[in-house]
Amino acid sequence: MEKQVSRHNHRIFSRSNRLFDKASPETIAFLASVGADLSLLISPEGDIVDVAYREPGVERYGVDDWIGRAWRDTVTPECFDKIDALLEENDKTGTTRRRQVNHPAKGLPDLPVDYSLVTIEGMPWRLALGEDMRKLSDIQQQLVRTQTELESEYRKIREAEGRYRTIFHKTAQAIIIVDGDSHAVIDINLTGANLLHQPASRLIDKPAQQLVERDDRNALTDALGAARHGGARKTLTLRAAGHGEPLNAVIEPYRENGRGNLMLSLLPAAGASAEMSESADMALLDSFAEALVIIDRKGMIAAANDPFLDLIHVLNKSMVIDRNLNGWLGASSVDLQVLLSRVREEGQVRQFSTVVRDELGTTKTVAVSAARMPGESDGQRIGVQISEAARRDAQFTVPSPGADAGSSDFAELVGRVPLKDLIREAVDVIEKMCIEAALRQTDNNRASAADMLGLSRQSLYIKLRRHGLEDFGSDNA
């Protein structure tokens, strides 16, 4: 049982007889309710005799319907014991400490009220003075939601940090993060620690110059300073401290939390040339604004730059490497086969017209240029440049009627234009030529021309508008 309250913990007016002897019942009722958000008159049996409240919005909770009901029946079941404790404590002491209860309401959140119950001398009723706790409850709920969001964000940060640490230590390249100002080692991955033959814990906070032989320290210091202040990538050859193993070092500046730091990549000199060459190729690819892809003679993608990823709407390069280019280039696999065949025969191809299909299911008209990579005389690697074209029609023209349209003109389009598009354009040209011939033979008599062509007059007029022949013969007339 809770500790009983034996006396009032507040001061009352000392001259109440003279101050309140002329007060009306309405005044007394007002004074009884004005000090609380919600006031209840409680009978000795615990029933609600009357209610008073300050805020009109409380009426939505059906407070007026509480009159005549047991106070205990207006609260949620878990608050029954609190109501019993208030009544019991009031019977013993005449006043109570404050207790919060919740009043249920249909279609609304519970109404939290903090009550104290007092007995007033000369009155047969007890007075329950309640404080509306909704605002405080809202603040508490906001605090809980904020705390939940913070914990969620913190968890995401920890997960991202875990992924970073895993990738950082699993990468095959030795990477050392160096402070841009002090040149102290901020972090180093396991590959770097193994390459330097020292535990990673011993290298943290150690000056980067101490990782190399004494004769190379000045060169490393100068390169670190030049990369930090010039914002440019620096490369040099160093020897690891203690065992003198030659290393190719690449220093790249980057910004972190408003300050400039450095990433020092190390590769053994014996096996670094191929990786450095590949890194240089990727840097060259990413420097172009056009989509560039390096493929082998079967069309398998060896490297691609970011504009190509944007063109086909793919998230990262790992999703395209070692996949065939015909998965995105060409209306069918024949387009890429024609392109590769012409590259093998001619060495290079310019403005090869085809389409690109992206991951969103849309198709774009593009112009492709391709050539064997320098030093790849056997055609093992082919560089492909893909440029978006405004319209396919701009890439080719079908001979117009009356022009010298030999078969060679169409033959030059093979490999540059999908067969279905070439046939469609050729059919349009033939149809236009037949309509013109029929109009000439009938002296521009539309009805006779339609009969000659086996068309209805309406169909003929539609085709005339389609081919721009509505005014055919007007010059002769």
Side-chain angles (χ1 to χ4, degrees):
M1 180 179 295
E2 297 185 16
K3 185 178 179 181
Q4 298 181 0
V5 178
S6 60
R7 60 187 176 84
H8 293 289
N9 57 359
H10 58 275
R11 185 182 187 278
I12 65 173
F13 295 115
S14 60
R15 294 177 290 176
S16 57
N17 291 337
R18 184 164 57 87
L19 294 174
F20 299 102
D21 58 351
K22 296 182 180 180
S24 65
E26 291 79 8
T27 302
I28 298 300
F30 172 76
L31 292 175
S33 62
V34 73
D37 296 322
L38 179 62
S39 302
L40 307 178
L41 288 179
I42 307 297
S43 69
E45 293 79 16
D47 297 332
I48 299 176
V49 178
D50 204 354
V51 299
Y53 44 87
R54 180 184 302 172
E55 184 183 347
V58 177
E59 185 178 1
R60 297 182 302 150
Y61 291 87
V63 177
D64 296 336
D65 298 332
W66 295 354
I67 299 174
R69 297 175 58 190
W71 188 19
R72 192 174 188 269
D73 294 339
T74 66
V75 300
T76 56
E78 64 269 14
C79 297
F80 289 166
D81 292 341
K82 294 183 180 181
I83 296 297
D84 295 340
L86 284 169
L87 294 171
E88 181 181 353
E89 187 176 348
N90 180 260
D91 289 337
K92 295 179 179 179
T93 65
T95 187
T96 67
R97 65 187 67 186
R98 304 186 72 85
R99 288 180 174 84
Q100 180 178 325
V101 300
N102 296 318
H103 294 281
K106 187 176 181 180
L108 293 172
D110 292 346
L111 174 64
V113 181
D114 198 20
Y115 284 109
S116 63
L117 187 62
V118 297
T119 298
I120 301 177
E121 187 178 354
M123 290 183 61
W125 324 114
R126 290 177 278 193
L127 182 62
L129 301 174
E131 180 183 356
D132 189 351
M133 304 298 290
R134 283 180 297 173
K135 291 184 179 179
L136 179 60
S137 178
D138 290 342
I139 293 174
Q140 291 174 341
Q141 291 178 5
Q142 290 177 9
L143 179 61
V144 171
R145 286 195 297 268
T146 302
Q147 182 68 23
T148 303
E149 291 175 359
L150 288 175
E151 291 177 356
S152 177
E153 292 299 323
Y154 179 70
R155 184 168 58 254
K156 291 179 181 178
I157 292 174
R158 291 299 300 270
E159 291 174 354
E161 181 182 0
R163 288 193 296 270
Y164 156 75
R165 301 300 304 177
T166 301
I167 296 172
F168 184 64
H169 288 294
K170 290 293 185 181
T171 183
Q173 187 176 16
I175 299 176
I176 305 172
I177 306 301
V178 180
D179 186 282
D181 296 326
S182 65
H183 294 171
V185 176
I186 299 175
D187 203 355
I188 182 171
N189 65 354
L190 294 178
T191 306
N194 294 334
L195 184 63
L196 297 173
H197 304 288
Q198 297 187 54
S201 58
R202 292 182 56 185
L203 299 175
I204 302 298
D205 297 329
K206 190 175 183 179
Q209 292 85 344
Q210 295 184 16
L211 305 181
V212 300
E213 291 289 347
R214 188 178 301 274
D215 294 342
D216 295 332
R217 291 177 182 177
N218 290 335
L220 178 59
T221 301
D222 294 341
L224 291 172
R228 166 72 171 81
H229 298 291
R233 173 178 173 174
K234 299 294 181 181
T235 59
L236 69 161
T237 302
L238 304 169
R239 291 170 297 162
H243 50 84
E245 181 181 352
L247 303 172
N248 286 336
V250 179
I251 304 172
E252 296 181 277
Y254 73 98
R255 294 197 63 80
E256 180 181 6
N257 296 328
R259 58 183 299 176
N261 287 335
L262 302 163
M263 184 174 71
L264 174 61
S265 303
L266 300 177
L267 291 169
S273 57
E275 296 188 34
M276 295 286 286
S277 175
E278 182 179 354
S279 176
D281 287 345
M282 289 308 305
L284 179 62
L285 284 178
D286 288 330
S287 66
F288 281 86
E290 297 288 348
L292 294 176
V293 187
I294 297 177
I295 60 176
D296 62 15
R297 58 184 177 182
K298 294 182 179 180
M300 302 300 292
I301 298 176
N305 65 353
D306 290 336
F308 177 71
L309 302 184
D310 296 337
L311 181 64
I312 63 174
H313 294 100
V314 170
L315 184 61
N316 54 59
K317 296 177 182 178
S318 64
M319 300 175 68
V320 301
I321 301 300
D322 295 330
R323 292 183 60 183
N324 202 293
L325 183 59
N326 64 19
W328 298 280
L329 184 68
S332 66
S333 60
V334 176
D335 290 20
L336 182 60
Q337 294 177 12
V338 172
L339 175 66
L340 295 176
S341 176
R342 292 185 58 182
V343 170
R344 286 193 295 268
E345 294 175 0
E346 304 172 16
Q348 63 178 5
V349 175
R350 296 179 182 271
Q351 297 300 307
F352 181 89
S353 299
T354 184
V355 297
V356 162
R357 307 181 305 278
D358 61 28
E359 294 295 307
L360 303 180
T362 58
T363 302
K364 301 186 182 97
T365 302
V366 295
V368 179
S369 298
R372 286 195 294 263
M373 297 289 290
E376 300 287 340
S377 57
D378 57 350
Q380 290 292 335
R381 291 206 307 169
I382 298 171
V384 180
Q385 176 184 337
I386 305 173
S387 305
E388 289 193 60
R391 290 185 57 190
R392 178 182 299 275
D393 295 340
Q395 303 299 327
F396 67 94
T397 57
V398 178
S400 58
D404 183 12
S407 60
S408 60
D409 296 329
F410 285 96
E412 291 180 358
L413 298 177
V414 175
R416 297 183 56 197
V417 181
L419 181 61
K420 61 180 181 180
D421 293 341
L422 185 58
I423 292 175
R424 184 179 65 248
E425 296 295 334
V427 168
D428 289 343
V429 171
I430 295 171
E431 185 178 67
K432 182 178 180 181
M433 294 171 61
C434 292
I435 293 174
E436 289 180 340
L439 292 174
R440 288 192 185 94
Q441 293 181 28
T442 59
D443 292 331
N444 204 23
N445 187 314
R446 306 297 171 89
S448 300
D451 184 64
M452 180 181 294
L453 295 170
L455 301 173
S456 66
R457 189 176 303 180
Q458 183 179 4
S459 298
L460 177 61
Y461 283 125
I462 291 174
K463 293 182 181 295
L464 290 174
R465 284 195 300 270
R466 177 184 174 188
H467 297 295
L469 297 176
E470 294 174 289
D471 297 331
F472 182 84
S474 57
D475 295 339
N476 295 335

